């Protein structure tokens, strides 16, 4: 006949009741709740700051000249659309077959 696995004889019910009120910290419990998104956000933020620290904490400016023609075109498209329809366009059909404006 198989023995039932249970509590050892030395453990009493009063010992179990004493430990019920104590909370233990578990990383799995912490990351399974709504804290997970904040933990991963903090990890990615710290990783980004570490990898780009030379640029972020300097006087340098992020500059690219490839977007200047797009800015001129986009402003002209906005001006023409606003003049014709009286609002802001939600969709630009002239870039890559259509992109949100």
């Amino acid at each position: 006949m198989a023995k039932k696995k249970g509590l050892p004889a030395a453990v009493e019910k009063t010992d179990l009741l004493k430990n019920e009120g104590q909370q233990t910290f578990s990383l799995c419990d912490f990351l399974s709740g709504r804290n997970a998104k904040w933990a991963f956000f903090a990890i990615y933020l710290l990783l980004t700051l570490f990898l780009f620290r030379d640029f972020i904490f300097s006087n340098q400016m992020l500059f690219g000249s490839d977007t200047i023609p797009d800015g001129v075109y986009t402003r002209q498209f906005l001006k023409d659309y606003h003049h014709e329809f009286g609002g802001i366009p939600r969709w630009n059909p002239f870039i890559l077959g259509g992109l949100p404006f």
Side-chain angles (χ1 to χ4, degrees), residues 26-63:
S26 170
L27 186 61
C28 292
D29 291 339
F30 179 76
L31 292 179
S32 66
R34 63 182 189 167
N35 297 327
K37 64 181 175 185
W38 295 111
F40 289 115
F41 174 74
I43 290 168
Y44 283 123
L45 179 66
L46 292 173
L47 187 63
T48 302
L49 286 175
F50 176 73
L51 291 175
F52 297 102
R53 67 187 179 276
D54 294 336
F55 175 74
I56 292 174
F57 301 111
S58 69
N59 292 335
Q60 297 175 350
M61 186 174 96
L62 187 60
F63 177 76

PDB file of all heavy atoms in Angstrom, residues 26-63:
ATOM      1  N   SER A  26       9.051  37.006  -4.404  1.00  0.00           N
ATOM      2  CA  SER A  26       9.346  36.084  -5.488  1.00  0.00           C
ATOM      3  C   SER A  26       9.428  36.895  -6.776  1.00  0.00           C
ATOM      4  O   SER A  26       8.521  37.665  -7.095  1.00  0.00           O
ATOM      5  CB  SER A  26       8.255  35.026  -5.600  1.00  0.00           C
ATOM      6  OG  SER A  26       8.441  34.295  -6.788  1.00  0.00           O
ATOM      7  N   LEU A  27      10.505  36.744  -7.514  1.00  0.00           N
ATOM      8  CA  LEU A  27      10.686  37.480  -8.760  1.00  0.00           C
ATOM      9  C   LEU A  27       9.624  37.097  -9.783  1.00  0.00           C
ATOM     10  O   LEU A  27       9.134  37.943 -10.523  1.00  0.00           O
ATOM     11  CB  LEU A  27      12.086  37.237  -9.322  1.00  0.00           C
ATOM     12  CG  LEU A  27      12.470  38.058 -10.551  1.00  0.00           C
ATOM     13  CD1 LEU A  27      12.429  39.540 -10.231  1.00  0.00           C
ATOM     14  CD2 LEU A  27      13.830  37.662 -11.045  1.00  0.00           C
ATOM     15  N   CYS A  28       9.250  35.843  -9.804  1.00  0.00           N
ATOM     16  CA  CYS A  28       8.204  35.389 -10.744  1.00  0.00           C
ATOM     17  C   CYS A  28       6.871  36.053 -10.424  1.00  0.00           C
ATOM     18  O   CYS A  28       6.144  36.468 -11.332  1.00  0.00           O
ATOM     19  CB  CYS A  28       8.059  33.880 -10.693  1.00  0.00           C
ATOM     20  SG  CYS A  28       9.491  33.024 -11.357  1.00  0.00           S
ATOM     21  N   ASP A  29       6.541  36.143  -9.141  1.00  0.00           N
ATOM     22  CA  ASP A  29       5.295  36.814  -8.768  1.00  0.00           C
ATOM     23  C   ASP A  29       5.348  38.293  -9.110  1.00  0.00           C
ATOM     24  O   ASP A  29       4.357  38.878  -9.538  1.00  0.00           O
ATOM     25  CB  ASP A  29       5.024  36.651  -7.268  1.00  0.00           C
ATOM     26  CG  ASP A  29       4.691  35.221  -6.907  1.00  0.00           C
ATOM     27  OD1 ASP A  29       4.281  34.466  -7.811  1.00  0.00           O
ATOM     28  OD2 ASP A  29       4.852  34.856  -5.726  1.00  0.00           O
ATOM     29  N   PHE A  30       6.496  38.908  -8.929  1.00  0.00           N
ATOM     30  CA  PHE A  30       6.650  40.334  -9.221  1.00  0.00           C
ATOM     31  C   PHE A  30       6.490  40.600 -10.715  1.00  0.00           C
ATOM     32  O   PHE A  30       5.829  41.541 -11.123  1.00  0.00           O
ATOM     33  CB  PHE A  30       8.022  40.819  -8.746  1.00  0.00           C
ATOM     34  CG  PHE A  30       8.275  42.275  -9.027  1.00  0.00           C
ATOM     35  CD1 PHE A  30       7.683  43.250  -8.252  1.00  0.00           C
ATOM     36  CD2 PHE A  30       9.100  42.649 -10.068  1.00  0.00           C
ATOM     37  CE1 PHE A  30       7.915  44.597  -8.513  1.00  0.00           C
ATOM     38  CE2 PHE A  30       9.346  43.987 -10.335  1.00  0.00           C
ATOM     39  CZ  PHE A  30       8.741  44.964  -9.548  1.00  0.00           C
ATOM     40  N   LEU A  31       7.089  39.751 -11.545  1.00  0.00           N
ATOM     41  CA  LEU A  31       7.042  39.971 -12.993  1.00  0.00           C
ATOM     42  C   LEU A  31       5.768  39.447 -13.646  1.00  0.00           C
ATOM     43  O   LEU A  31       5.520  39.735 -14.813  1.00  0.00           O
ATOM     44  CB  LEU A  31       8.257  39.337 -13.659  1.00  0.00           C
ATOM     45  CG  LEU A  31       9.580  40.001 -13.335  1.00  0.00           C
ATOM     46  CD1 LEU A  31      10.714  39.268 -14.019  1.00  0.00           C
ATOM     47  CD2 LEU A  31       9.582  41.466 -13.734  1.00  0.00           C
ATOM     48  N   SER A  32       4.951  38.705 -12.947  1.00  0.00           N
ATOM     49  CA  SER A  32       3.728  38.190 -13.557  1.00  0.00           C
ATOM     50  C   SER A  32       2.580  39.187 -13.456  1.00  0.00           C
ATOM     51  O   SER A  32       1.620  39.081 -14.186  1.00  0.00           O
ATOM     52  CB  SER A  32       3.323  36.878 -12.896  1.00  0.00           C
ATOM     53  OG  SER A  32       2.955  37.111 -11.554  1.00  0.00           O
ATOM     54  N   GLY A  33       2.702  40.151 -12.604  1.00  0.00           N
ATOM     55  CA  GLY A  33       1.631  41.124 -12.433  1.00  0.00           C
ATOM     56  C   GLY A  33       1.817  42.335 -13.325  1.00  0.00           C
ATOM     57  O   GLY A  33       2.492  42.314 -14.343  1.00  0.00           O
ATOM     58  N   ARG A  34       1.174  43.408 -12.906  1.00  0.00           N
ATOM     59  CA  ARG A  34       1.264  44.637 -13.697  1.00  0.00           C
ATOM     60  C   ARG A  34       2.605  45.338 -13.522  1.00  0.00           C
ATOM     61  O   ARG A  34       2.886  46.305 -14.213  1.00  0.00           O
ATOM     62  CB  ARG A  34       0.119  45.568 -13.339  1.00  0.00           C
ATOM     63  CG  ARG A  34       0.151  46.040 -11.909  1.00  0.00           C
ATOM     64  CD  ARG A  34      -1.010  46.914 -11.608  1.00  0.00           C
ATOM     65  NE  ARG A  34      -0.802  47.511 -10.300  1.00  0.00           N
ATOM     66  CZ  ARG A  34      -1.474  48.500  -9.820  1.00  0.00           C
ATOM     67  NH1 ARG A  34      -2.418  49.022 -10.537  1.00  0.00           N
ATOM     68  NH2 ARG A  34      -1.218  48.978  -8.650  1.00  0.00           N
ATOM     69  N   ASN A  35       3.438  44.859 -12.638  1.00  0.00           N
ATOM     70  CA  ASN A  35       4.765  45.436 -12.465  1.00  0.00           C
ATOM     71  C   ASN A  35       5.709  45.068 -13.597  1.00  0.00           C
ATOM     72  O   ASN A  35       6.745  45.694 -13.775  1.00  0.00           O
ATOM     73  CB  ASN A  35       5.384  44.973 -11.141  1.00  0.00           C
ATOM     74  CG  ASN A  35       4.590  45.445  -9.953  1.00  0.00           C
ATOM     75  OD1 ASN A  35       4.001  46.509  -9.983  1.00  0.00           O
ATOM     76  ND2 ASN A  35       4.557  44.652  -8.914  1.00  0.00           N
ATOM     77  N   ALA A  36       5.348  44.056 -14.376  1.00  0.00           N
ATOM     78  CA  ALA A  36       6.230  43.568 -15.430  1.00  0.00           C
ATOM     79  C   ALA A  36       6.515  44.642 -16.464  1.00  0.00           C
ATOM     80  O   ALA A  36       7.656  44.821 -16.885  1.00  0.00           O
ATOM     81  CB  ALA A  36       5.620  42.344 -16.098  1.00  0.00           C
ATOM     82  N   LYS A  37       5.493  45.369 -16.871  1.00  0.00           N
ATOM     83  CA  LYS A  37       5.718  46.383 -17.899  1.00  0.00           C
ATOM     84  C   LYS A  37       6.645  47.489 -17.397  1.00  0.00           C
ATOM     85  O   LYS A  37       7.455  48.006 -18.153  1.00  0.00           O
ATOM     86  CB  LYS A  37       4.401  46.966 -18.397  1.00  0.00           C
ATOM     87  CG  LYS A  37       3.605  47.721 -17.371  1.00  0.00           C
ATOM     88  CD  LYS A  37       2.321  48.232 -17.958  1.00  0.00           C
ATOM     89  CE  LYS A  37       1.471  48.877 -16.883  1.00  0.00           C
ATOM     90  NZ  LYS A  37       0.175  49.265 -17.397  1.00  0.00           N
ATOM     91  N   TRP A  38       6.542  47.831 -16.134  1.00  0.00           N
ATOM     92  CA  TRP A  38       7.417  48.870 -15.594  1.00  0.00           C
ATOM     93  C   TRP A  38       8.841  48.363 -15.429  1.00  0.00           C
ATOM     94  O   TRP A  38       9.800  49.105 -15.625  1.00  0.00           O
ATOM     95  CB  TRP A  38       6.876  49.398 -14.273  1.00  0.00           C
ATOM     96  CG  TRP A  38       5.573  50.090 -14.459  1.00  0.00           C
ATOM     97  CD1 TRP A  38       4.355  49.673 -14.029  1.00  0.00           C
ATOM     98  CD2 TRP A  38       5.345  51.309 -15.176  1.00  0.00           C
ATOM     99  NE1 TRP A  38       3.388  50.550 -14.419  1.00  0.00           N
ATOM    100  CE2 TRP A  38       3.969  51.568 -15.125  1.00  0.00           C
ATOM    101  CE3 TRP A  38       6.175  52.196 -15.855  1.00  0.00           C
ATOM    102  CZ2 TRP A  38       3.408  52.690 -15.729  1.00  0.00           C
ATOM    103  CZ3 TRP A  38       5.602  53.307 -16.455  1.00  0.00           C
ATOM    104  CH2 TRP A  38       4.240  53.548 -16.384  1.00  0.00           C
ATOM    105  N   ALA A  39       8.980  47.099 -15.074  1.00  0.00           N
ATOM    106  CA  ALA A  39      10.322  46.523 -14.938  1.00  0.00           C
ATOM    107  C   ALA A  39      11.022  46.471 -16.293  1.00  0.00           C
ATOM    108  O   ALA A  39      12.190  46.856 -16.415  1.00  0.00           O
ATOM    109  CB  ALA A  39      10.232  45.128 -14.327  1.00  0.00           C
ATOM    110  N   PHE A  40      10.321  46.017 -17.336  1.00  0.00           N
ATOM    111  CA  PHE A  40      10.929  45.952 -18.655  1.00  0.00           C
ATOM    112  C   PHE A  40      11.175  47.342 -19.225  1.00  0.00           C
ATOM    113  O   PHE A  40      12.167  47.579 -19.902  1.00  0.00           O
ATOM    114  CB  PHE A  40      10.075  45.108 -19.597  1.00  0.00           C
ATOM    115  CG  PHE A  40      10.125  43.647 -19.269  1.00  0.00           C
ATOM    116  CD1 PHE A  40       8.992  42.978 -18.844  1.00  0.00           C
ATOM    117  CD2 PHE A  40      11.310  42.945 -19.357  1.00  0.00           C
ATOM    118  CE1 PHE A  40       9.046  41.633 -18.529  1.00  0.00           C
ATOM    119  CE2 PHE A  40      11.379  41.601 -19.042  1.00  0.00           C
ATOM    120  CZ  PHE A  40      10.238  40.948 -18.625  1.00  0.00           C
ATOM    121  N   PHE A  41      10.273  48.279 -18.941  1.00  0.00           N
ATOM    122  CA  PHE A  41      10.481  49.664 -19.367  1.00  0.00           C
ATOM    123  C   PHE A  41      11.747  50.229 -18.724  1.00  0.00           C
ATOM    124  O   PHE A  41      12.557  50.876 -19.392  1.00  0.00           O
ATOM    125  CB  PHE A  41       9.273  50.525 -18.994  1.00  0.00           C
ATOM    126  CG  PHE A  41       9.462  51.977 -19.275  1.00  0.00           C
ATOM    127  CD1 PHE A  41       9.419  52.455 -20.575  1.00  0.00           C
ATOM    128  CD2 PHE A  41       9.697  52.874 -18.246  1.00  0.00           C
ATOM    129  CE1 PHE A  41       9.592  53.798 -20.843  1.00  0.00           C
ATOM    130  CE2 PHE A  41       9.867  54.214 -18.497  1.00  0.00           C
ATOM    131  CZ  PHE A  41       9.817  54.677 -19.805  1.00  0.00           C
ATOM    132  N   ALA A  42      11.937  49.983 -17.454  1.00  0.00           N
ATOM    133  CA  ALA A  42      13.128  50.477 -16.755  1.00  0.00           C
ATOM    134  C   ALA A  42      14.398  49.821 -17.303  1.00  0.00           C
ATOM    135  O   ALA A  42      15.421  50.491 -17.480  1.00  0.00           O
ATOM    136  CB  ALA A  42      13.002  50.210 -15.255  1.00  0.00           C
ATOM    137  N   ILE A  43      14.321  48.529 -17.609  1.00  0.00           N
ATOM    138  CA  ILE A  43      15.489  47.836 -18.162  1.00  0.00           C
ATOM    139  C   ILE A  43      15.864  48.424 -19.515  1.00  0.00           C
ATOM    140  O   ILE A  43      17.031  48.711 -19.778  1.00  0.00           O
ATOM    141  CB  ILE A  43      15.217  46.326 -18.276  1.00  0.00           C
ATOM    142  CG1 ILE A  43      15.167  45.695 -16.882  1.00  0.00           C
ATOM    143  CG2 ILE A  43      16.264  45.634 -19.135  1.00  0.00           C
ATOM    144  CD1 ILE A  43      14.638  44.283 -16.860  1.00  0.00           C
ATOM    145  N   TYR A  44      14.881  48.614 -20.385  1.00  0.00           N
ATOM    146  CA  TYR A  44      15.162  49.174 -21.713  1.00  0.00           C
ATOM    147  C   TYR A  44      15.641  50.618 -21.629  1.00  0.00           C
ATOM    148  O   TYR A  44      16.499  51.038 -22.394  1.00  0.00           O
ATOM    149  CB  TYR A  44      13.934  49.078 -22.615  1.00  0.00           C
ATOM    150  CG  TYR A  44      13.711  47.697 -23.151  1.00  0.00           C
ATOM    151  CD1 TYR A  44      12.526  47.032 -22.929  1.00  0.00           C
ATOM    152  CD2 TYR A  44      14.694  47.044 -23.876  1.00  0.00           C
ATOM    153  CE1 TYR A  44      12.317  45.761 -23.412  1.00  0.00           C
ATOM    154  CE2 TYR A  44      14.500  45.764 -24.359  1.00  0.00           C
ATOM    155  CZ  TYR A  44      13.314  45.133 -24.132  1.00  0.00           C
ATOM    156  OH  TYR A  44      13.124  43.876 -24.615  1.00  0.00           O
ATOM    157  N   LEU A  45      15.089  51.384 -20.702  1.00  0.00           N
ATOM    158  CA  LEU A  45      15.533  52.766 -20.528  1.00  0.00           C
ATOM    159  C   LEU A  45      16.991  52.811 -20.080  1.00  0.00           C
ATOM    160  O   LEU A  45      17.800  53.564 -20.644  1.00  0.00           O
ATOM    161  CB  LEU A  45      14.647  53.487 -19.513  1.00  0.00           C
ATOM    162  CG  LEU A  45      15.027  54.926 -19.217  1.00  0.00           C
ATOM    163  CD1 LEU A  45      14.827  55.793 -20.455  1.00  0.00           C
ATOM    164  CD2 LEU A  45      14.230  55.454 -18.053  1.00  0.00           C
ATOM    165  N   LEU A  46      17.338  52.008 -19.097  1.00  0.00           N
ATOM    166  CA  LEU A  46      18.721  51.983 -18.618  1.00  0.00           C
ATOM    167  C   LEU A  46      19.677  51.466 -19.690  1.00  0.00           C
ATOM    168  O   LEU A  46      20.785  51.993 -19.844  1.00  0.00           O
ATOM    169  CB  LEU A  46      18.828  51.127 -17.356  1.00  0.00           C
ATOM    170  CG  LEU A  46      18.144  51.699 -16.120  1.00  0.00           C
ATOM    171  CD1 LEU A  46      18.175  50.686 -14.980  1.00  0.00           C
ATOM    172  CD2 LEU A  46      18.784  53.006 -15.710  1.00  0.00           C
ATOM    173  N   LEU A  47      19.249  50.467 -20.450  1.00  0.00           N
ATOM    174  CA  LEU A  47      20.073  49.938 -21.531  1.00  0.00           C
ATOM    175  C   LEU A  47      20.295  50.991 -22.616  1.00  0.00           C
ATOM    176  O   LEU A  47      21.409  51.156 -23.116  1.00  0.00           O
ATOM    177  CB  LEU A  47      19.419  48.692 -22.125  1.00  0.00           C
ATOM    178  CG  LEU A  47      20.229  47.930 -23.156  1.00  0.00           C
ATOM    179  CD1 LEU A  47      21.509  47.396 -22.530  1.00  0.00           C
ATOM    180  CD2 LEU A  47      19.413  46.801 -23.732  1.00  0.00           C
ATOM    181  N   THR A  48      19.254  51.731 -22.970  1.00  0.00           N
ATOM    182  CA  THR A  48      19.374  52.794 -23.971  1.00  0.00           C
ATOM    183  C   THR A  48      20.300  53.902 -23.484  1.00  0.00           C
ATOM    184  O   THR A  48      21.153  54.382 -24.239  1.00  0.00           O
ATOM    185  CB  THR A  48      17.993  53.369 -24.301  1.00  0.00           C
ATOM    186  OG1 THR A  48      17.159  52.315 -24.774  1.00  0.00           O
ATOM    187  CG2 THR A  48      18.090  54.450 -25.357  1.00  0.00           C
ATOM    188  N   LEU A  49      20.116  54.310 -22.238  1.00  0.00           N
ATOM    189  CA  LEU A  49      20.996  55.348 -21.687  1.00  0.00           C
ATOM    190  C   LEU A  49      22.450  54.883 -21.652  1.00  0.00           C
ATOM    191  O   LEU A  49      23.362  55.672 -21.920  1.00  0.00           O
ATOM    192  CB  LEU A  49      20.538  55.740 -20.280  1.00  0.00           C
ATOM    193  CG  LEU A  49      19.280  56.587 -20.212  1.00  0.00           C
ATOM    194  CD1 LEU A  49      18.864  56.791 -18.758  1.00  0.00           C
ATOM    195  CD2 LEU A  49      19.482  57.915 -20.896  1.00  0.00           C
ATOM    196  N   PHE A  50      22.671  53.632 -21.352  1.00  0.00           N
ATOM    197  CA  PHE A  50      24.034  53.122 -21.303  1.00  0.00           C
ATOM    198  C   PHE A  50      24.660  53.063 -22.694  1.00  0.00           C
ATOM    199  O   PHE A  50      25.804  53.475 -22.888  1.00  0.00           O
ATOM    200  CB  PHE A  50      24.059  51.732 -20.656  1.00  0.00           C
ATOM    201  CG  PHE A  50      25.417  51.096 -20.656  1.00  0.00           C
ATOM    202  CD1 PHE A  50      26.409  51.555 -19.807  1.00  0.00           C
ATOM    203  CD2 PHE A  50      25.716  50.062 -21.524  1.00  0.00           C
ATOM    204  CE1 PHE A  50      27.669  50.986 -19.810  1.00  0.00           C
ATOM    205  CE2 PHE A  50      26.971  49.485 -21.544  1.00  0.00           C
ATOM    206  CZ  PHE A  50      27.946  49.950 -20.686  1.00  0.00           C
ATOM    207  N   LEU A  51      23.913  52.551 -23.665  1.00  0.00           N
ATOM    208  CA  LEU A  51      24.477  52.384 -25.008  1.00  0.00           C
ATOM    209  C   LEU A  51      24.709  53.716 -25.725  1.00  0.00           C
ATOM    210  O   LEU A  51      25.645  53.838 -26.506  1.00  0.00           O
ATOM    211  CB  LEU A  51      23.565  51.491 -25.847  1.00  0.00           C
ATOM    212  CG  LEU A  51      23.517  50.023 -25.422  1.00  0.00           C
ATOM    213  CD1 LEU A  51      22.499  49.273 -26.253  1.00  0.00           C
ATOM    214  CD2 LEU A  51      24.882  49.379 -25.549  1.00  0.00           C
ATOM    215  N   PHE A  52      23.874  54.706 -25.472  1.00  0.00           N
ATOM    216  CA  PHE A  52      23.986  55.986 -26.163  1.00  0.00           C
ATOM    217  C   PHE A  52      24.437  57.108 -25.237  1.00  0.00           C
ATOM    218  O   PHE A  52      24.175  58.280 -25.493  1.00  0.00           O
ATOM    219  CB  PHE A  52      22.645  56.339 -26.822  1.00  0.00           C
ATOM    220  CG  PHE A  52      22.235  55.365 -27.875  1.00  0.00           C
ATOM    221  CD1 PHE A  52      21.273  54.410 -27.616  1.00  0.00           C
ATOM    222  CD2 PHE A  52      22.839  55.381 -29.123  1.00  0.00           C
ATOM    223  CE1 PHE A  52      20.899  53.493 -28.584  1.00  0.00           C
ATOM    224  CE2 PHE A  52      22.472  54.481 -30.096  1.00  0.00           C
ATOM    225  CZ  PHE A  52      21.506  53.530 -29.822  1.00  0.00           C
ATOM    226  N   ARG A  53      25.135  56.773 -24.176  1.00  0.00           N
ATOM    227  CA  ARG A  53      25.561  57.774 -23.186  1.00  0.00           C
ATOM    228  C   ARG A  53      26.501  58.823 -23.774  1.00  0.00           C
ATOM    229  O   ARG A  53      26.451  59.984 -23.383  1.00  0.00           O
ATOM    230  CB  ARG A  53      26.194  57.089 -21.986  1.00  0.00           C
ATOM    231  CG  ARG A  53      27.511  56.402 -22.282  1.00  0.00           C
ATOM    232  CD  ARG A  53      28.031  55.596 -21.100  1.00  0.00           C
ATOM    233  NE  ARG A  53      29.272  54.938 -21.405  1.00  0.00           N
ATOM    234  CZ  ARG A  53      29.370  53.757 -22.025  1.00  0.00           C
ATOM    235  NH1 ARG A  53      28.277  53.130 -22.385  1.00  0.00           N
ATOM    236  NH2 ARG A  53      30.542  53.226 -22.274  1.00  0.00           N
ATOM    237  N   ASP A  54      27.353  58.434 -24.731  1.00  0.00           N
ATOM    238  CA  ASP A  54      28.284  59.402 -25.316  1.00  0.00           C
ATOM    239  C   ASP A  54      27.543  60.482 -26.098  1.00  0.00           C
ATOM    240  O   ASP A  54      27.970  61.628 -26.130  1.00  0.00           O
ATOM    241  CB  ASP A  54      29.277  58.696 -26.247  1.00  0.00           C
ATOM    242  CG  ASP A  54      30.194  57.752 -25.494  1.00  0.00           C
ATOM    243  OD1 ASP A  54      30.383  57.964 -24.280  1.00  0.00           O
ATOM    244  OD2 ASP A  54      30.699  56.807 -26.122  1.00  0.00           O
ATOM    245  N   PHE A  55      26.435  60.127 -26.719  1.00  0.00           N
ATOM    246  CA  PHE A  55      25.678  61.107 -27.493  1.00  0.00           C
ATOM    247  C   PHE A  55      24.679  61.867 -26.617  1.00  0.00           C
ATOM    248  O   PHE A  55      24.552  63.085 -26.725  1.00  0.00           O
ATOM    249  CB  PHE A  55      24.919  60.420 -28.629  1.00  0.00           C
ATOM    250  CG  PHE A  55      24.034  61.356 -29.385  1.00  0.00           C
ATOM    251  CD1 PHE A  55      24.578  62.275 -30.262  1.00  0.00           C
ATOM    252  CD2 PHE A  55      22.676  61.336 -29.204  1.00  0.00           C
ATOM    253  CE1 PHE A  55      23.770  63.159 -30.946  1.00  0.00           C
ATOM    254  CE2 PHE A  55      21.860  62.210 -29.886  1.00  0.00           C
ATOM    255  CZ  PHE A  55      22.410  63.120 -30.757  1.00  0.00           C
ATOM    256  N   ILE A  56      23.984  61.173 -25.723  1.00  0.00           N
ATOM    257  CA  ILE A  56      22.931  61.802 -24.925  1.00  0.00           C
ATOM    258  C   ILE A  56      23.498  62.867 -23.992  1.00  0.00           C
ATOM    259  O   ILE A  56      22.922  63.947 -23.841  1.00  0.00           O
ATOM    260  CB  ILE A  56      22.162  60.737 -24.120  1.00  0.00           C
ATOM    261  CG1 ILE A  56      21.358  59.862 -25.084  1.00  0.00           C
ATOM    262  CG2 ILE A  56      21.230  61.373 -23.109  1.00  0.00           C
ATOM    263  CD1 ILE A  56      20.682  58.687 -24.425  1.00  0.00           C
ATOM    264  N   PHE A  57      24.628  62.596 -23.391  1.00  0.00           N
ATOM    265  CA  PHE A  57      25.207  63.522 -22.414  1.00  0.00           C
ATOM    266  C   PHE A  57      26.297  64.388 -23.038  1.00  0.00           C
ATOM    267  O   PHE A  57      27.292  64.715 -22.391  1.00  0.00           O
ATOM    268  CB  PHE A  57      25.755  62.744 -21.214  1.00  0.00           C
ATOM    269  CG  PHE A  57      24.700  61.921 -20.530  1.00  0.00           C
ATOM    270  CD1 PHE A  57      24.725  60.547 -20.587  1.00  0.00           C
ATOM    271  CD2 PHE A  57      23.663  62.535 -19.846  1.00  0.00           C
ATOM    272  CE1 PHE A  57      23.759  59.779 -19.962  1.00  0.00           C
ATOM    273  CE2 PHE A  57      22.683  61.790 -19.222  1.00  0.00           C
ATOM    274  CZ  PHE A  57      22.731  60.406 -19.278  1.00  0.00           C
ATOM    275  N   SER A  58      26.089  64.787 -24.283  1.00  0.00           N
ATOM    276  CA  SER A  58      27.053  65.658 -24.957  1.00  0.00           C
ATOM    277  C   SER A  58      26.320  66.848 -25.567  1.00  0.00           C
ATOM    278  O   SER A  58      25.103  66.955 -25.488  1.00  0.00           O
ATOM    279  CB  SER A  58      27.800  64.885 -26.052  1.00  0.00           C
ATOM    280  OG  SER A  58      26.911  64.592 -27.109  1.00  0.00           O
ATOM    281  N   ASN A  59      27.074  67.737 -26.179  1.00  0.00           N
ATOM    282  CA  ASN A  59      26.492  68.916 -26.825  1.00  0.00           C
ATOM    283  C   ASN A  59      26.174  68.658 -28.296  1.00  0.00           C
ATOM    284  O   ASN A  59      25.808  69.580 -29.011  1.00  0.00           O
ATOM    285  CB  ASN A  59      27.453  70.106 -26.725  1.00  0.00           C
ATOM    286  CG  ASN A  59      27.597  70.570 -25.300  1.00  0.00           C
ATOM    287  OD1 ASN A  59      26.707  70.354 -24.482  1.00  0.00           O
ATOM    288  ND2 ASN A  59      28.712  71.206 -24.994  1.00  0.00           N
ATOM    289  N   GLN A  60      26.306  67.435 -28.750  1.00  0.00           N
ATOM    290  CA  GLN A  60      26.064  67.117 -30.147  1.00  0.00           C
ATOM    291  C   GLN A  60      24.569  67.148 -30.455  1.00  0.00           C
ATOM    292  O   GLN A  60      23.731  66.981 -29.577  1.00  0.00           O
ATOM    293  CB  GLN A  60      26.619  65.738 -30.485  1.00  0.00           C
ATOM    294  CG  GLN A  60      28.106  65.635 -30.327  1.00  0.00           C
ATOM    295  CD  GLN A  60      28.580  64.197 -30.549  1.00  0.00           C
ATOM    296  OE1 GLN A  60      27.782  63.280 -30.638  1.00  0.00           O
ATOM    297  NE2 GLN A  60      29.881  64.029 -30.606  1.00  0.00           N
ATOM    298  N   MET A  61      24.252  67.372 -31.739  1.00  0.00           N
ATOM    299  CA  MET A  61      22.864  67.404 -32.172  1.00  0.00           C
ATOM    300  C   MET A  61      22.652  66.345 -33.244  1.00  0.00           C
ATOM    301  O   MET A  61      23.497  66.169 -34.113  1.00  0.00           O
ATOM    302  CB  MET A  61      22.524  68.779 -32.737  1.00  0.00           C
ATOM    303  CG  MET A  61      21.073  68.950 -33.080  1.00  0.00           C
ATOM    304  SD  MET A  61      20.710  70.621 -33.564  1.00  0.00           S
ATOM    305  CE  MET A  61      20.802  70.465 -35.328  1.00  0.00           C
ATOM    306  N   LEU A  62      21.541  65.659 -33.190  1.00  0.00           N
ATOM    307  CA  LEU A  62      21.202  64.668 -34.196  1.00  0.00           C
ATOM    308  C   LEU A  62      20.682  65.407 -35.419  1.00  0.00           C
ATOM    309  O   LEU A  62      19.678  66.110 -35.360  1.00  0.00           O
ATOM    310  CB  LEU A  62      20.133  63.722 -33.661  1.00  0.00           C
ATOM    311  CG  LEU A  62      19.790  62.526 -34.521  1.00  0.00           C
ATOM    312  CD1 LEU A  62      21.027  61.661 -34.737  1.00  0.00           C
ATOM    313  CD2 LEU A  62      18.700  61.703 -33.881  1.00  0.00           C
ATOM    314  N   PHE A  63      21.390  65.290 -36.523  1.00  0.00           N
ATOM    315  CA  PHE A  63      21.042  66.029 -37.726  1.00  0.00           C
ATOM    316  C   PHE A  63      21.195  65.127 -38.931  1.00  0.00           C
ATOM    317  O   PHE A  63      22.179  64.415 -39.083  1.00  0.00           O
ATOM    318  CB  PHE A  63      21.972  67.247 -37.882  1.00  0.00           C
ATOM    319  CG  PHE A  63      21.732  68.027 -39.139  1.00  0.00           C
ATOM    320  CD1 PHE A  63      20.647  68.863 -39.245  1.00  0.00           C
ATOM    321  CD2 PHE A  63      22.595  67.908 -40.206  1.00  0.00           C
ATOM    322  CE1 PHE A  63      20.433  69.575 -40.404  1.00  0.00           C
ATOM    323  CE2 PHE A  63      22.386  68.614 -41.364  1.00  0.00           C
ATOM    324  CZ  PHE A  63      21.302  69.454 -41.469  1.00  0.00           C
TER     325      PHE A  63
END
